Structure formats: structure tokens, C-alpha cells
Amino acid sequence: MDKKSEEFYARLKEELAGSADWPAEYLFKFIVPSEAGKIQEIEDAFNNMGAVIETTQSKTGKYTSVSINVKMAGAQDIIDKYIELSGIEGIISL
């Protein structure tokens, strides 16, 4: 992970730690190219977590937004999930 990413995740962790009493519901939002395998990979990362997952395809069908509402144990768990999913080619975390 590069220094810019490390700084981003450190800042995000600090903000998350002070924003809620953990465990708490968290909304992940991603945009990914509309390829079934990539969408499935995101969904699989939240399998067996009780997540509510919604997908919406763009007007052109080229991209899909994926929203995941799930109870997370703490800020570090959220950071870990973002890092885990960052390996998906073309994914954009919002």
C-alpha cells in the first residue's frame, strides 16, 4: 500500500472511531464495471455477515453501483474490508 493510501485509511479510521458506538451499522458504497464476476466478488466478501446488498446499473449499463448495509464490529474492520476489496480491478469506493 502506498503512503497516500496509508494516510487516507489512518484518517478514515480516526473519523470512524469517533463517529459511532461500535458495533454499528455501516453503509459501504462502490462503483464497479458491470461484470458479473466483479459484482459477485463484492457480494461474496460480505457473505454470512447479514448484509443488505443493493445493486443499481448505470443508464448505459457500463457500471453498477453496489450498496452494502451491514453491522460492523469497529473502525478497523471497515478499513480491512475496504483494503480487501481494493484488489478488484476497476472498483471505486465512495
Side-chain angles (χ1 to χ4, degrees), residues 26 60 67 80:
Y26 185 78
T60 63
S67 299
D80 292 344

Side-chain angles (χ1 to χ4, degrees), residues 19-84:
S19 68
D21 292 326
W22 300 99
E25 292 284 326
Y26 185 78
L27 179 63
F28 290 89
K29 291 188 130 204
F30 303 99
I31 296 175
V32 66
S34 293
E35 297 173 24
K38 292 181 181 187
I39 296 166
Q40 188 62 51
E41 199 172 341
I42 294 170
E43 291 177 353
D44 289 348
F46 293 93
N47 197 16
N48 298 322
M49 293 179 68
V52 176
I53 302 173
E54 295 180 15
T55 60
T56 306
Q57 202 169 59
S58 66
K59 287 182 183 179
T60 63
K62 194 173 181 181
Y63 296 97
T64 298
S65 84
V66 184
S67 299
I68 302 110
N69 197 353
V70 63
K71 185 173 259 185
M72 299 298 288
Q76 187 59 51
D77 293 326
I78 293 169
I79 302 299
D80 292 344
K81 195 58 76 175
Y82 276 123
I83 292 170
E84 174 187 345

